[in-house]
Amino acid sequence: MVGRSSFLIVANRLPVDRVVEQDGTASWRRSPGGLVTAIAPVMQRRHGAWLGWPGAPDEELEPFEQDGMNLISIPLTAEEIELYYEGFSNATLWPLYHDVVAPPVFERSMWEAYRAVNERFARAAAAHAEQGAVVWVQDYQLQLVPAMLRELRPDLRIGFFLHIPFPPVELFWQLPWRRELVQGLLGADLVGFQLPGGAANFRRLCRRLLGVPYKGSEIFLEDRIVRTQAFPISVDFGELDEMVRRPEVVSRAKEIRMELGDPEHVLLGVDRLDYTKGIGQRLEAFGELLKDGRITPGEAVFVQIATPSRERVEEYRRLRDDIELQVGRINGETSEFGSQPIQYFHQSYPKDELAALYLAADVMVVTPLRDGMNLVAKEYVACHHDLNGALVLSEFAGAADELRQAFLVNPYDVEDLKRQMLAAMRATPHELARRMRTMRRRVATYDVDRWASEFLSSLESPSASEPAMSRSASWPSG
Ligand code: ADP
Ligand code: F6P
């Protein structure tokens, strides 16, 4: 049983998913996505508790400990999963915040469920937080929690971090519940974004929608100040760097290359199967390089890991069909006996297997149409102490702000994709080492611990201009 905590993480998901087999046996599996990758090591090094949904419907679980973390389960019914998680979170907010690359669904029943579930999270956080505790709320699924929690517990220090992009005012404006969402976020003392552009979009929106003024990074409510700032998220560089030096990982990487037929170039994509990731665009470009004869089937193999994700959401179902059809078509048109140029895997892997894959890959291809950060790009860099390996990276991934030495690409431009993939394959070892050295320095310096400690020290330090008065929410009438 976990008591009250002085430090709480509140996220849609727990870091592990409850998996119940057909015979009724249950086990835990690491949850997908970048949020868990980033927060789990932070949590393992600090005392506190993590509140989240265990990934299956109607799971009423007592607080428990797993991998050195105290976990508190928030149950969701099947209907809530459909309306709050698959619906408002992933059919409304996700596409809206990612440049509307798919049409967002606006449905009142989804919004009602989102509000109700956010309230459940806020109540649970209020019940588990010590007097004056620090509560760190995560991501777009829980944007109403900061204000709801402040209402219940004005003594808390509340931080919020958005892992995905924050859209320009013109796009956000479409949302029928835009005012409520912004008011929800303004319940926090500190709202963190991946990039300065996201923070600026949010401040502009606050002024236009609620009439609240801002100066620099501070938004002035009637009785308190909300700080907004960019904190680019990162990976556990030390863990990955150590992992890829282990003899068993090194030999697994060699084995992977042999299993692929020992081609000259191994290209790799690792993504949740999500329409924001630009998987179809990169495969199209690779297919054209083969058809144009600029690379030969035995010369290069493209390994695409497409992690199962949000499989009951319509857009994701359609995407899976499209990608699998495309892989079949390209392989059908370009394969030779005994070798398939695209190797496609719709599976999850343990961390060390993924590290071996990164190590085995000559070219990492990361081409999202829009992405808050993209940790895969940083993981690849962390795995190449050999200074070998090229990163082809979309200009529309947050990571492109830091990894300027990547082969930067516009994923909407198939010719550019082809050019940069070829350039990455043809670059000299000296050129690759020059680029990789600089990128590694950046990721090693700004690792996930630094990200978390910068966010938390900013959250815990009072703003220079913050008045010492009650911190309850209030809105200017204008
Ligand atoms: P997102 O948060 O949108 O999923 P990121 O690239 O930021 O995208 O993070 C994805 C995380 O999930 C990375 O840490 C990556 O290693 C992990 N991951 C992706 N695919 C797999 C997979 N098939 N098996 C295990 N982990 C995976
Ligand atoms: O930030 C991206 C994100 O949506 C996280 O919030 C989430 O943990 C991850 O991707 C995986 O998505 P899901 O929880 O919907 O499987």
Side-chain angles (χ1 to χ4, degrees), residues 170-190:
E170 295 68 27
L171 288 185
F172 191 87
W173 213 252
Q174 291 180 11
L175 191 67
W177 308 279
R178 57 198 183 199
R179 203 177 163 90
E180 289 89 331
L181 270 195
V182 173
Q183 288 175 341
L185 289 172
L186 286 174
D189 295 289
L190 172 65

PDB file of all heavy atoms in Angstrom, residues 170-190:
ATOM      1  N   GLU A 170      -4.397  29.449 -35.031  1.00  0.00           N
ATOM      2  CA  GLU A 170      -5.396  29.256 -36.098  1.00  0.00           C
ATOM      3  C   GLU A 170      -5.931  27.824 -36.125  1.00  0.00           C
ATOM      4  O   GLU A 170      -7.103  27.604 -36.446  1.00  0.00           O
ATOM      5  CB  GLU A 170      -4.795  29.577 -37.472  1.00  0.00           C
ATOM      6  CG  GLU A 170      -4.396  31.020 -37.689  1.00  0.00           C
ATOM      7  CD  GLU A 170      -3.206  31.456 -36.831  1.00  0.00           C
ATOM      8  OE1 GLU A 170      -2.377  30.593 -36.459  1.00  0.00           O
ATOM      9  OE2 GLU A 170      -3.131  32.660 -36.513  1.00  0.00           O
ATOM     10  N   LEU A 171      -5.109  26.849 -35.791  1.00  0.00           N
ATOM     11  CA  LEU A 171      -5.593  25.464 -35.774  1.00  0.00           C
ATOM     12  C   LEU A 171      -6.349  25.175 -34.477  1.00  0.00           C
ATOM     13  O   LEU A 171      -7.423  24.572 -34.478  1.00  0.00           O
ATOM     14  CB  LEU A 171      -4.425  24.477 -35.917  1.00  0.00           C
ATOM     15  CG  LEU A 171      -3.785  24.399 -37.298  1.00  0.00           C
ATOM     16  CD1 LEU A 171      -2.722  23.304 -37.326  1.00  0.00           C
ATOM     17  CD2 LEU A 171      -4.837  24.114 -38.364  1.00  0.00           C
ATOM     18  N   PHE A 172      -5.783  25.605 -33.359  1.00  0.00           N
ATOM     19  CA  PHE A 172      -6.409  25.329 -32.062  1.00  0.00           C
ATOM     20  C   PHE A 172      -7.816  25.922 -32.011  1.00  0.00           C
ATOM     21  O   PHE A 172      -8.721  25.384 -31.372  1.00  0.00           O
ATOM     22  CB  PHE A 172      -5.555  25.925 -30.939  1.00  0.00           C
ATOM     23  CG  PHE A 172      -5.971  25.475 -29.574  1.00  0.00           C
ATOM     24  CD1 PHE A 172      -5.465  24.305 -29.038  1.00  0.00           C
ATOM     25  CD2 PHE A 172      -6.891  26.201 -28.820  1.00  0.00           C
ATOM     26  CE1 PHE A 172      -5.858  23.865 -27.786  1.00  0.00           C
ATOM     27  CE2 PHE A 172      -7.288  25.773 -27.567  1.00  0.00           C
ATOM     28  CZ  PHE A 172      -6.767  24.599 -27.053  1.00  0.00           C
ATOM     29  N   TRP A 173      -7.989  27.028 -32.714  1.00  0.00           N
ATOM     30  CA  TRP A 173      -9.254  27.758 -32.709  1.00  0.00           C
ATOM     31  C   TRP A 173     -10.428  26.878 -33.152  1.00  0.00           C
ATOM     32  O   TRP A 173     -11.575  27.130 -32.798  1.00  0.00           O
ATOM     33  CB  TRP A 173      -9.113  28.980 -33.643  1.00  0.00           C
ATOM     34  CG  TRP A 173      -9.910  30.160 -33.191  1.00  0.00           C
ATOM     35  CD1 TRP A 173     -11.043  30.640 -33.779  1.00  0.00           C
ATOM     36  CD2 TRP A 173      -9.650  30.996 -32.057  1.00  0.00           C
ATOM     37  NE1 TRP A 173     -11.509  31.722 -33.079  1.00  0.00           N
ATOM     38  CE2 TRP A 173     -10.674  31.974 -32.016  1.00  0.00           C
ATOM     39  CE3 TRP A 173      -8.669  31.010 -31.060  1.00  0.00           C
ATOM     40  CZ2 TRP A 173     -10.733  32.950 -31.025  1.00  0.00           C
ATOM     41  CZ3 TRP A 173      -8.728  31.985 -30.085  1.00  0.00           C
ATOM     42  CH2 TRP A 173      -9.744  32.939 -30.070  1.00  0.00           C
ATOM     43  N   GLN A 174     -10.165  25.837 -33.935  1.00  0.00           N
ATOM     44  CA  GLN A 174     -11.252  24.956 -34.409  1.00  0.00           C
ATOM     45  C   GLN A 174     -11.966  24.246 -33.255  1.00  0.00           C
ATOM     46  O   GLN A 174     -13.101  23.821 -33.391  1.00  0.00           O
ATOM     47  CB  GLN A 174     -10.684  23.848 -35.312  1.00  0.00           C
ATOM     48  CG  GLN A 174     -10.157  24.323 -36.631  1.00  0.00           C
ATOM     49  CD  GLN A 174      -9.613  23.156 -37.468  1.00  0.00           C
ATOM     50  OE1 GLN A 174      -9.802  21.990 -37.155  1.00  0.00           O
ATOM     51  NE2 GLN A 174      -8.943  23.488 -38.554  1.00  0.00           N
ATOM     52  N   LEU A 175     -11.264  24.063 -32.159  1.00  0.00           N
ATOM     53  CA  LEU A 175     -11.771  23.198 -31.093  1.00  0.00           C
ATOM     54  C   LEU A 175     -12.982  23.822 -30.390  1.00  0.00           C
ATOM     55  O   LEU A 175     -12.885  24.905 -29.823  1.00  0.00           O
ATOM     56  CB  LEU A 175     -10.647  22.965 -30.072  1.00  0.00           C
ATOM     57  CG  LEU A 175     -10.897  21.893 -29.038  1.00  0.00           C
ATOM     58  CD1 LEU A 175     -10.942  20.507 -29.676  1.00  0.00           C
ATOM     59  CD2 LEU A 175      -9.813  21.931 -27.973  1.00  0.00           C
ATOM     60  N   PRO A 176     -14.129  23.146 -30.394  1.00  0.00           N
ATOM     61  CA  PRO A 176     -15.304  23.723 -29.728  1.00  0.00           C
ATOM     62  C   PRO A 176     -15.093  23.986 -28.238  1.00  0.00           C
ATOM     63  O   PRO A 176     -15.741  24.850 -27.667  1.00  0.00           O
ATOM     64  CB  PRO A 176     -16.389  22.655 -29.940  1.00  0.00           C
ATOM     65  CG  PRO A 176     -15.948  21.871 -31.125  1.00  0.00           C
ATOM     66  CD  PRO A 176     -14.441  21.910 -31.122  1.00  0.00           C
ATOM     67  N   TRP A 177     -14.176  23.247 -27.599  1.00  0.00           N
ATOM     68  CA  TRP A 177     -13.954  23.385 -26.140  1.00  0.00           C
ATOM     69  C   TRP A 177     -12.624  24.054 -25.846  1.00  0.00           C
ATOM     70  O   TRP A 177     -11.976  23.790 -24.844  1.00  0.00           O
ATOM     71  CB  TRP A 177     -14.052  21.997 -25.495  1.00  0.00           C
ATOM     72  CG  TRP A 177     -15.323  21.325 -25.900  1.00  0.00           C
ATOM     73  CD1 TRP A 177     -16.555  21.532 -25.347  1.00  0.00           C
ATOM     74  CD2 TRP A 177     -15.514  20.412 -26.985  1.00  0.00           C
ATOM     75  NE1 TRP A 177     -17.501  20.803 -26.022  1.00  0.00           N
ATOM     76  CE2 TRP A 177     -16.898  20.096 -27.030  1.00  0.00           C
ATOM     77  CE3 TRP A 177     -14.679  19.827 -27.931  1.00  0.00           C
ATOM     78  CZ2 TRP A 177     -17.433  19.224 -27.972  1.00  0.00           C
ATOM     79  CZ3 TRP A 177     -15.202  18.966 -28.870  1.00  0.00           C
ATOM     80  CH2 TRP A 177     -16.564  18.669 -28.887  1.00  0.00           C
ATOM     81  N   ARG A 178     -12.235  24.974 -26.744  1.00  0.00           N
ATOM     82  CA  ARG A 178     -10.903  25.587 -26.649  1.00  0.00           C
ATOM     83  C   ARG A 178     -10.708  26.348 -25.342  1.00  0.00           C
ATOM     84  O   ARG A 178      -9.641  26.302 -24.735  1.00  0.00           O
ATOM     85  CB  ARG A 178     -10.684  26.519 -27.851  1.00  0.00           C
ATOM     86  CG  ARG A 178     -11.723  27.590 -27.982  1.00  0.00           C
ATOM     87  CD  ARG A 178     -11.751  28.213 -29.373  1.00  0.00           C
ATOM     88  NE  ARG A 178     -12.728  29.296 -29.392  1.00  0.00           N
ATOM     89  CZ  ARG A 178     -13.247  29.793 -30.489  1.00  0.00           C
ATOM     90  NH1 ARG A 178     -12.911  29.320 -31.663  1.00  0.00           N
ATOM     91  NH2 ARG A 178     -14.098  30.784 -30.428  1.00  0.00           N
ATOM     92  N   ARG A 179     -11.747  27.037 -24.891  1.00  0.00           N
ATOM     93  CA  ARG A 179     -11.614  27.855 -23.682  1.00  0.00           C
ATOM     94  C   ARG A 179     -11.373  26.990 -22.448  1.00  0.00           C
ATOM     95  O   ARG A 179     -10.488  27.246 -21.639  1.00  0.00           O
ATOM     96  CB  ARG A 179     -12.919  28.650 -23.538  1.00  0.00           C
ATOM     97  CG  ARG A 179     -12.797  29.890 -22.728  1.00  0.00           C
ATOM     98  CD  ARG A 179     -14.132  30.642 -22.697  1.00  0.00           C
ATOM     99  NE  ARG A 179     -14.073  31.582 -21.598  1.00  0.00           N
ATOM    100  CZ  ARG A 179     -13.626  32.822 -21.723  1.00  0.00           C
ATOM    101  NH1 ARG A 179     -13.236  33.275 -22.886  1.00  0.00           N
ATOM    102  NH2 ARG A 179     -13.588  33.598 -20.661  1.00  0.00           N
ATOM    103  N   GLU A 180     -12.156  25.918 -22.343  1.00  0.00           N
ATOM    104  CA  GLU A 180     -12.033  25.030 -21.180  1.00  0.00           C
ATOM    105  C   GLU A 180     -10.633  24.403 -21.123  1.00  0.00           C
ATOM    106  O   GLU A 180     -10.051  24.270 -20.059  1.00  0.00           O
ATOM    107  CB  GLU A 180     -13.076  23.909 -21.243  1.00  0.00           C
ATOM    108  CG  GLU A 180     -14.510  24.374 -20.996  1.00  0.00           C
ATOM    109  CD  GLU A 180     -15.224  24.801 -22.275  1.00  0.00           C
ATOM    110  OE1 GLU A 180     -14.552  25.260 -23.230  1.00  0.00           O
ATOM    111  OE2 GLU A 180     -16.458  24.700 -22.315  1.00  0.00           O
ATOM    112  N   LEU A 181     -10.117  24.013 -22.298  1.00  0.00           N
ATOM    113  CA  LEU A 181      -8.798  23.359 -22.302  1.00  0.00           C
ATOM    114  C   LEU A 181      -7.702  24.316 -21.847  1.00  0.00           C
ATOM    115  O   LEU A 181      -6.830  23.951 -21.058  1.00  0.00           O
ATOM    116  CB  LEU A 181      -8.460  22.845 -23.706  1.00  0.00           C
ATOM    117  CG  LEU A 181      -8.904  21.434 -24.037  1.00  0.00           C
ATOM    118  CD1 LEU A 181      -8.198  20.941 -25.294  1.00  0.00           C
ATOM    119  CD2 LEU A 181      -8.617  20.465 -22.907  1.00  0.00           C
ATOM    120  N   VAL A 182      -7.758  25.540 -22.339  1.00  0.00           N
ATOM    121  CA  VAL A 182      -6.724  26.512 -21.977  1.00  0.00           C
ATOM    122  C   VAL A 182      -6.839  26.848 -20.485  1.00  0.00           C
ATOM    123  O   VAL A 182      -5.833  26.927 -19.768  1.00  0.00           O
ATOM    124  CB  VAL A 182      -6.854  27.768 -22.861  1.00  0.00           C
ATOM    125  CG1 VAL A 182      -5.900  28.844 -22.397  1.00  0.00           C
ATOM    126  CG2 VAL A 182      -6.539  27.401 -24.305  1.00  0.00           C
ATOM    127  N   GLN A 183      -8.053  26.989 -20.004  1.00  0.00           N
ATOM    128  CA  GLN A 183      -8.230  27.256 -18.574  1.00  0.00           C
ATOM    129  C   GLN A 183      -7.719  26.090 -17.736  1.00  0.00           C
ATOM    130  O   GLN A 183      -7.156  26.283 -16.663  1.00  0.00           O
ATOM    131  CB  GLN A 183      -9.705  27.537 -18.263  1.00  0.00           C
ATOM    132  CG  GLN A 183     -10.127  28.903 -18.791  1.00  0.00           C
ATOM    133  CD  GLN A 183     -11.611  29.181 -18.610  1.00  0.00           C
ATOM    134  OE1 GLN A 183     -12.401  28.266 -18.418  1.00  0.00           O
ATOM    135  NE2 GLN A 183     -11.980  30.446 -18.691  1.00  0.00           N
ATOM    136  N   GLY A 184      -7.900  24.888 -18.245  1.00  0.00           N
ATOM    137  CA  GLY A 184      -7.394  23.700 -17.541  1.00  0.00           C
ATOM    138  C   GLY A 184      -5.884  23.775 -17.378  1.00  0.00           C
ATOM    139  O   GLY A 184      -5.337  23.585 -16.294  1.00  0.00           O
ATOM    140  N   LEU A 185      -5.182  24.102 -18.457  1.00  0.00           N
ATOM    141  CA  LEU A 185      -3.715  24.171 -18.412  1.00  0.00           C
ATOM    142  C   LEU A 185      -3.230  25.290 -17.505  1.00  0.00           C
ATOM    143  O   LEU A 185      -2.208  25.160 -16.821  1.00  0.00           O
ATOM    144  CB  LEU A 185      -3.164  24.390 -19.828  1.00  0.00           C
ATOM    145  CG  LEU A 185      -3.273  23.188 -20.763  1.00  0.00           C
ATOM    146  CD1 LEU A 185      -2.874  23.586 -22.187  1.00  0.00           C
ATOM    147  CD2 LEU A 185      -2.374  22.053 -20.271  1.00  0.00           C
ATOM    148  N   LEU A 186      -3.984  26.391 -17.491  1.00  0.00           N
ATOM    149  CA  LEU A 186      -3.549  27.535 -16.678  1.00  0.00           C
ATOM    150  C   LEU A 186      -3.693  27.277 -15.172  1.00  0.00           C
ATOM    151  O   LEU A 186      -3.291  28.108 -14.364  1.00  0.00           O
ATOM    152  CB  LEU A 186      -4.317  28.797 -17.086  1.00  0.00           C
ATOM    153  CG  LEU A 186      -3.868  29.401 -18.426  1.00  0.00           C
ATOM    154  CD1 LEU A 186      -4.768  30.563 -18.823  1.00  0.00           C
ATOM    155  CD2 LEU A 186      -2.411  29.864 -18.366  1.00  0.00           C
ATOM    156  N   GLY A 187      -4.218  26.123 -14.810  1.00  0.00           N
ATOM    157  CA  GLY A 187      -4.226  25.732 -13.389  1.00  0.00           C
ATOM    158  C   GLY A 187      -2.827  25.376 -12.906  1.00  0.00           C
ATOM    159  O   GLY A 187      -2.565  25.318 -11.704  1.00  0.00           O
ATOM    160  N   ALA A 188      -1.880  25.162 -13.831  1.00  0.00           N
ATOM    161  CA  ALA A 188      -0.516  24.777 -13.432  1.00  0.00           C
ATOM    162  C   ALA A 188       0.299  26.018 -13.061  1.00  0.00           C
ATOM    163  O   ALA A 188      -0.007  27.139 -13.478  1.00  0.00           O
ATOM    164  CB  ALA A 188       0.161  24.038 -14.586  1.00  0.00           C
ATOM    165  N   ASP A 189       1.358  25.802 -12.279  1.00  0.00           N
ATOM    166  CA  ASP A 189       2.318  26.879 -12.006  1.00  0.00           C
ATOM    167  C   ASP A 189       3.289  27.017 -13.164  1.00  0.00           C
ATOM    168  O   ASP A 189       3.763  28.104 -13.456  1.00  0.00           O
ATOM    169  CB  ASP A 189       3.133  26.553 -10.742  1.00  0.00           C
ATOM    170  CG  ASP A 189       2.252  26.525  -9.502  1.00  0.00           C
ATOM    171  OD1 ASP A 189       1.806  27.609  -9.087  1.00  0.00           O
ATOM    172  OD2 ASP A 189       1.988  25.424  -8.984  1.00  0.00           O
ATOM    173  N   LEU A 190       3.593  25.870 -13.793  1.00  0.00           N
ATOM    174  CA  LEU A 190       4.547  25.856 -14.899  1.00  0.00           C
ATOM    175  C   LEU A 190       3.985  24.939 -15.986  1.00  0.00           C
ATOM    176  O   LEU A 190       3.638  23.790 -15.711  1.00  0.00           O
ATOM    177  CB  LEU A 190       5.894  25.310 -14.411  1.00  0.00           C
ATOM    178  CG  LEU A 190       6.959  25.055 -15.469  1.00  0.00           C
ATOM    179  CD1 LEU A 190       7.404  26.360 -16.133  1.00  0.00           C
ATOM    180  CD2 LEU A 190       8.182  24.364 -14.849  1.00  0.00           C
TER     181      LEU A 190
END
